[in-house]
């Protein structure tokens, strides 16, 4: 027998700056994106109103609430930022078709009242809350102490992408994603130097997962999307588990379009640490890039194809120091080629750095001297070296050059 139920979204509108009249359409937008990507055929979803969806799964006796639980996390990040855990609640109402249609017409106050007194529900129906781990909690609930959320503290955001350039082919082969809070003093970027680094790495990494999901849905992605994730997060069990749980929202069928860009990698990571990093990322990401600040990164300790690439972040220093770091990194080119691991350089700012990197046969280049931050991906586009840096994808002159 097919599983059927009504998914209902409850919001605490007092904890967001989004106007009340805009909340419903935003909930519907993000919920529909989520369901389109994760609730795949033969499972079906039907939007009943801004806050209610009829879900069916002809192959199961019960809906997969573990998967649905991730929707509350996405809505929390998009609409509330930090908030507390119950800023977004997902309710599941099970019953026959008539009962589901009747429940869909309930106002938010009606649903809250039914959570305290289930006799107010349509006859024959059962209402439960979907917890963060996907378990179903009966209502009414006993009072519990809810700790503050540890991540997703950005609130309303602006997404961005910066192209990664392949000089030999004179084309952008992908984009490094970023996500910036609307009220931030400057944009956040992992390829533009220290002044553009986020203060809260865990929240930034989590927000970039949501950016990746939006880009996959909103754009026809033909090249790689590089999703930033801190090395320290991946080697700490609790932080790694929390981030991987969020990354589960990314569609597995897009694995070959997703690359993990692991930043702040030390000069000589241990074999155990690297095994933990690559093992954790393998299910979701088709490629892994290690981004380091040390031009003498110990590539000799890595096995053949241990990762896809290693990228040097040029230091925020005087031009001669930056050029010296680039040369030092390129001096290990034989070791990279021998292990079939590509070498890249990021935070490129000036023409001299770009030209030297090309002369030294660095495979991939990024930074403001290659591509400024864009509102959409540029990966997959041919672009002549003479037209770099790419300032604005929609500039008529540069667009013609590209």
């Amino acid at each position: 027998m097919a599983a059927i139920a009504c998914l209902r979204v409850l919001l605490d509108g007092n904890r967001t700056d989004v106007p009340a009249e805009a909340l419903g359409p935003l909930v519907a937008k993000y919920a529909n994106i989520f369901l389109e990507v994760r609730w795949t055929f033969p499972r079906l979803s039907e939007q009943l109103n801004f806050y209610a969806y009829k879900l069916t799964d002809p192959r199961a006796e019960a809906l997969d609430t573990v998967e649905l639980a991730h929707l509350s996390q996405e809505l929390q990040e998009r609409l509330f930022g930090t908030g507390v855990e119950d800023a977004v609640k997902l309710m599941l109402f099970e019953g026959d078709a008539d009962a589901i249609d009747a429940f869909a017409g309930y106002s938010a106050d009606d649903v809250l009242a039914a959570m305290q007194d289930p006799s107010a529900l349509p006859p024959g129906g059962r209402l439960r809350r979907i917890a963060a781990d996907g378990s179903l909690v009966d209502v009414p609930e006993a009072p519990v102490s809810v700790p503050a959320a540890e991540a997703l503290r950005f609130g309303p955001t602006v997404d961005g992408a910066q192209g990664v350039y392949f000089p030999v082919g004179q084309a952008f082969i992908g984009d490094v994603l970023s996500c910036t809070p609307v009220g931030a003093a400057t944009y956040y970027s992992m390829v533009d130097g220290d002044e553009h680094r986020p203060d809260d790495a865990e929240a930034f990494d989590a927000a970039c997962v949501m950016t990746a999901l939006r880009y996959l849905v909103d754009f026809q992605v033909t090249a790689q999307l590089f999703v930033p994730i801190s090395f320290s997060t991946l080697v700490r069990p609790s932080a790694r588990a929390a981030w991987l749980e969020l990354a589960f929202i990314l569609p597995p069928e897009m694995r070959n379009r997703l690359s993990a860009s692991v930043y702040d990698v030390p000069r000589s990571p241990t074999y155990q640490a690297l095994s933990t990093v690559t093992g954790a990322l393998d299910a979701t990401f088709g490629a892994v890039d290690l981004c380091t600040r040390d031009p003498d990164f110990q590539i000799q300790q890595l096995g053949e194809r241990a990762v896809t690439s290693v990228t040097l972040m040029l230091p925020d220093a005087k031009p001669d120091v930056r050029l010296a770091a680039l040369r030092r990194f390129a001096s290990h080119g034989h070791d990279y080629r021998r292990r079939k691991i590509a070498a890249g350089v990021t935070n490129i700012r000036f023409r001299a750095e770009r030209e030297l990197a090309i002369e030294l046969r660095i495979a991939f280049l990024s930074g403001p001297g290659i591509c400024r931050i864009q509102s959409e991906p540029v990966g997959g586009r041919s672009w002549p070296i003479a037209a770099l840096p790419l300032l604005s994808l929609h500039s008529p002159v540069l667009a013609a050059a590209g």
Side-chain angles (χ1 to χ4, degrees), residues 37 216 221 250-259 284-286:
V37 173
L216 290 172
V221 175
L250 298 174
E253 64 270 18
M254 297 301 293
R255 177 179 179 274
N256 290 335
R257 285 283 180 263
L258 295 169
S259 296
T284 305
F285 298 91

Side-chain angles (χ1 to χ4, degrees), residues 151-398:
L152 305 178
R153 291 180 279 269
F154 269 27
T157 57
V158 177
D159 298 328
Q162 288 177 268
V164 178
Y165 192 69
F166 179 49
V168 174
Q170 296 198 51
F172 287 100
I173 55 90
D175 296 87
V176 181
L177 300 180
S178 68
C179 192
T180 304
V182 170
T186 185
Y187 67 90
Y188 291 159
S189 168
M190 297 313 301
V191 304
D192 278 13
D194 288 343
E195 67 176 307
H196 296 291
R197 289 173 66 89
D199 296 328
D200 189 335
E202 289 188 21
F204 173 78
D205 295 345
C208 286
V209 172
M210 299 303 182
T211 298
L213 177 62
R214 187 180 78 79
Y215 272 43
L216 290 172
V217 172
D218 288 356
F219 300 106
Q220 186 175 354
V221 175
T222 60
Q224 293 292 300
L225 295 180
F226 291 85
V227 183
I229 172 64
S230 168
F231 180 83
S232 64
T233 293
L234 288 173
V235 296
R236 289 183 289 125
S238 59
R240 179 174 68 248
W243 186 83
L244 288 175
E245 182 180 4
L246 179 61
F248 175 76
I249 197 174
L250 298 174
E253 64 270 18
M254 297 301 293
R255 177 179 179 274
N256 290 335
R257 285 283 180 263
L258 295 169
S259 296
S261 180
V262 184
Y263 61 91
D264 288 345
V265 178
R267 173 179 181 172
S268 182
T270 66
Y271 173 81
Q272 181 180 4
L274 278 179
S275 297
T276 298
V277 166
T278 56
L281 297 172
D282 182 67
T284 305
F285 298 91
V288 175
D289 172 73
L290 303 180
C291 186
T292 181
R293 294 172 176 267
D294 196 318
D296 290 317
F297 176 81
Q298 295 298 289
I299 183 64
Q300 299 85 356
Q301 296 182 7
L302 272 62
E304 183 175 309
R305 302 184 192 276
V307 293
T308 309
S309 56
V310 173
T311 298
L312 172 69
M313 169 78 73
L314 291 179
D316 290 342
K318 294 181 179 179
D320 59 335
V321 175
R322 293 165 59 86
L323 291 173
L326 201 163
R327 290 191 181 94
R328 184 73 178 176
F329 180 67
S331 70
H332 301 291
H334 173 73
D335 293 316
Y336 283 89
R337 291 189 291 272
R338 183 179 178 183
R339 287 161 178 79
K340 297 181 173 60
I341 295 174
V345 173
T346 192
N347 193 25
I348 289 178
R349 299 178 185 175
F350 308 112
R351 178 177 178 178
E353 296 168 356
R354 184 171 69 238
E355 292 179 346
L356 179 60
I358 294 171
E359 177 186 337
L360 294 174
R361 299 173 60 194
I362 300 297
F364 304 114
L365 312 178
S366 58
I370 300 296
C371 178
R372 300 290 177 86
I373 197 161
Q374 309 290 317
S375 60
E376 62 184 86
V378 301
R381 300 172 188 268
S382 296
W383 208 271
I385 293 173
L388 294 175
L390 193 164
L391 303 177
S392 173
L393 184 61
H394 298 292
S395 166
V397 175
L398 291 178

